[in-house]
Amino acid sequence: MTTATAELLTVPEVMARLKLGRSTVYDLIRSHRLTSITIGRARRIPADSLHDFIREQIEEAA
């Protein structure tokens, strides 16, 4: 993450963007395939991390 104004997404926002369920998103976080941070009790996923994950999935599928 190189920008100071990186967008942080909530789990429901990631669920909506990937069209996946909550458990699947948390499984991706637990398996370190999707990077996240915790602020207090709130889990946030940097948008850059989501874009990297999607790019990796596309490359694997190719």
Side-chain angles (χ1 to χ4, degrees), residues 32-51:
H32 303 287
R33 295 177 69 203
L34 191 58
T35 305
S36 72
I37 60 171
T38 304
I39 304 170
R41 295 181 64 206
R43 173 81 58 182
R44 296 293 180 261
I45 296 94
D48 291 346
S49 174
L50 179 60
H51 295 141

Side-chain angles (χ1 to χ4, degrees), residues 3-4 6 9 11-14 16 24-25 30 43 47 51 53-54 57:
T3 60
L9 305 171
V11 170
E13 289 171 332
V14 173
T24 305
V25 172
R30 269 191 293 279
R43 173 81 58 182
H51 295 141
F53 171 76
I54 293 169
Q57 294 304 300

